[in-house]
Structures are given as C-alpha cells and as structure tokens.
Amino acid sequence: MTTLNDFFHTAHSGSWAVGHFNISELDQFRAVADVCKELGSPAMIGLSEGERNHIGMRAAMALRNALREEYGIPIFLNADHTHSVDAAKEAIDAGFDSIHIDLSKMDMDENIAGTETVVAYARKQSHDISVEGEVGYLVTDSSKVYARHIAVPPESLTDPKSAQRFVERTGVDRLAPAVGSLHGIAANTPQLDIGRIKEIRAIIPDHVALVLHGGSGVRDEDITLAIRTGINNVHVSTELRVAYTHALQQSIEDDPDEVAMYKLDEAAMEAMRVVVREKLHLFGAVSRI
Ligand SMILES: [Zn+2]
C-alpha cells in the first residue's frame, strides 16, 4: 500500500498538496471520504485530542478500517495537535497512521527532546508512521470565528535556521512552520509569508514535507503560491466546521418538528462536501491515487 509519506513525496515532486480535513463525527468522516473517492484523492483525516476523545480512539481506528474497505481508497488518520509525548504514544499504540506532536509552546530544547522521543517510539512500531513536528506557533483556536482583527506577532513565526536544526535533530517526516496563517477565521484575511516558506524549503531536505496549518480563510491565490513554493500538506478545519454547523442550524430552523438526526445532518454533510471538493481542486490533489 502507498504510505502517507509516499504521498507527500509524490506531492512534493508534482507540486500539489495532500488535503488534511478535521472531523469529529461519522457523517463528517463520510463527507470527506465521499469526495476523496469521487475525485481520486488520498483522504487524510485529522483528529485533534478533543476530536479523538469525542469519537473515541478505538472507534476512530475501527471506522478507518471499515471505510477503507467500503470506499476502496487510502484513508489515513492523523493525531493532530498532540500536546504531550504520552498522548502521542497512545495514538501510536492505537494504530494511527500519522502523529502531529505539537510542543511548539515549549522552549526549543524541550520541543526537540519530546519530538525526538515520539519519532523514536513511532519508528519502533512501524516505519510507515509519518511524524510531524512544529516550530513557531499559531496564536488562535480552530473552533472559533473571530469577529475581530487578529495580528500575527512576528515572534510567533518560524525562524528558518531553527527549523533546520529542529528537523536535523528530530528526524521528523513533516515540519509545520508558522508562516502567517491562523487557526480559526478572523475578521482580516491572513497574509502568508511566502518568502519565509521559500527560505525554509530551501534549507530543509526534500524528503521532509512542509505542512500549512490554518488553511481556512487564506486567499486561494496564496494557497496556490504556497504549494508552488513547497507546501505539501494543507490543513482545513474551521471552514468545514462553519459549513457543517451553519447548514445544520438552517435545517433545524427550517423544520423545527424534525427530530431524526440522520435527516437533519444531510444538508450539513453536503455543505461539507462542497468545501472539501473545492479544496482538493485548489490543492491539485485530484486523480492522485
Ligand atoms: Zn493546526
């Protein structure tokens, strides 16, 4: 089977990006898988600590296995934004395909030491597990649509030299740098620092994938440019949450007598499919499996 790291390598040489979509419900999982099957894209499903506690780690694994069989496409689970070594080990033990160990709020040496431990633990289990580390940090939360303007503090952005040191020391498969995007959606459109992406890409090895978090609310042209500059993986969460939740609210409002959830969430699933379809086209991820 083609591994997730294989897809990143193909994406890097072909200048496209693997889409990463967060879910917390089965119907959302299906909405992503429906579109990935329709378009021939690998499905990378993100589950933050909160999302995987909600769905259940073992249940998430069982769903991955069942949907792989049902859809006949590569489906990978990523333990997104895992904030401790123990939580990362737990996801590796459960069988996740990918771990994002995010110790970016710690100082650099602690971040390196913790990430290194997770890489070693993952390699012991299987060389197919893809591990992502993070240097620099995003200042906001993916569960929010902010009514205010949010500035990106310069000290939160990734210094290319630190990124290089981090990658060399930890041996990660993917690096998430902070390059101007935000988690969540702000009143202002975030500006990607393309120059910084270019510098980081030039200084880290080709086999290390570059990940853009906070893909929601970024201009399409910026995403295209970022991918051309060397981003191989784009995370989308808030735009999916907005599409899903707003459609669900509308269904409930339109038919207040309806209480069958599977009927109410059909419009929400469709709203999510529209966003996933749009993003996969934007990322150049169509017909890649
Ligand atoms: Zn993120």
Side-chain angles (χ1 to χ4, degrees):
M1 196 187 91
T2 313
T3 68
L4 190 52
N5 283 332
D6 292 336
F7 277 111
F8 291 128
H9 299 153
T10 322
H12 187 54
S13 46
S15 274
W16 57 280
V18 176
H20 174 285
F21 304 104
N22 286 76
I23 62 121
S24 61
E25 319 295 329
L26 171 58
D27 50 354
Q28 298 175 341
F29 199 152
R30 280 195 180 277
V32 176
D34 285 339
V35 180
C36 287
K37 170 139 182 113
E38 169 194 317
L39 299 182
S41 306
M44 187 178 183
I45 303 290
L47 295 148
S48 65
E49 291 188 57
E51 286 163 335
R52 57 195 196 255
N53 284 339
H54 179 76
I55 211 165
M57 295 271 259
R58 289 178 62 186
M61 282 305 302
L63 287 174
R64 183 206 70 176
N65 296 341
L67 297 188
R68 267 185 185 173
E69 218 176 285
E70 183 182 331
Y71 284 82
I73 59 169
I75 297 177
F76 303 103
L77 293 190
N78 176 41
D80 196 21
H81 291 287
T82 305
H83 294 293
S84 71
V85 171
D86 284 347
K89 286 181 175 173
E90 207 187 319
I92 293 167
D93 291 341
F96 273 55
D97 305 283
S98 164
I99 306 293
H100 169 209
I101 176 75
D102 177 4
L103 307 178
S104 59
K105 292 261 164 69
M106 295 181 171
D107 73 44
M108 188 62 166
D109 289 334
E110 282 175 307
N111 186 358
I112 288 176
T115 305
E116 217 179 348
T117 308
V118 172
V119 170
Y121 194 83
R123 298 284 184 262
K124 224 169 46 192
Q125 205 82 351
S126 155
H127 276 271
D128 291 345
I129 301 176
S130 179
V131 181
E132 172 182 342
E134 182 157 341
V135 178
Y137 57 93
L138 273 59
V139 288
T140 40
D141 190 328
S142 300
S143 65
K144 303 277 184 334
V145 176
Y146 298 89
R148 59 193 163 91
H149 182 287
I150 293 173
V152 174
E155 66 274 16
S156 67
L157 297 175
T158 306
D159 160 55
K161 281 263 185 302
S162 309
Q164 182 189 34
R165 184 160 80 93
F166 179 84
V167 165
E168 271 174 11
R169 293 275 308 277
T170 59
V172 287
D173 303 293
R174 324 196 292 277
L175 173 74
V179 289
S181 56
L182 297 165
H183 280 136
I185 296 178
N188 53 308
T189 304
Q191 191 72 47
L192 291 187
D193 188 341
I194 300 291
R196 191 177 296 266
I197 297 173
K198 201 173 183 175
E199 279 180 62
I200 297 169
R201 184 76 269 182
I203 210 169
I204 66 164
D206 270 352
H207 65 84
V208 176
L210 269 188
V211 185
L212 180 69
H213 281 254
S216 295
V218 177
R219 265 185 297 267
D220 285 359
E221 310 86 86
D222 276 14
I223 296 279
T224 306
L225 199 54
I227 293 171
R228 254 188 240 144
T229 313
I231 290 287
N232 317 114
N233 186 204
V234 182
H235 281 227
V236 180
S237 175
T238 313
E239 278 188 55
L240 301 176
R241 288 171 164 178
V242 168
Y244 185 89
T245 308
H246 286 183
L248 185 58
Q249 283 163 342
Q250 193 61 51
S251 304
I252 293 170
E253 218 172 277
D254 290 348
D255 194 356
D257 300 332
E258 182 58 67
V259 291
M261 194 60 199
Y262 76 92
K263 291 183 183 172
L264 288 168
D265 68 12
E266 186 40 55
M269 284 176 81
E270 185 48 29
M272 225 173 120
R273 285 188 202 105
V274 170
V275 178
V276 174
R277 199 174 286 124
E278 214 180 87
K279 298 297 177 189
L280 289 174
H281 279 285
L282 177 64
F283 302 161
V286 176
S287 301
R288 300 293 186 180
I289 56 176

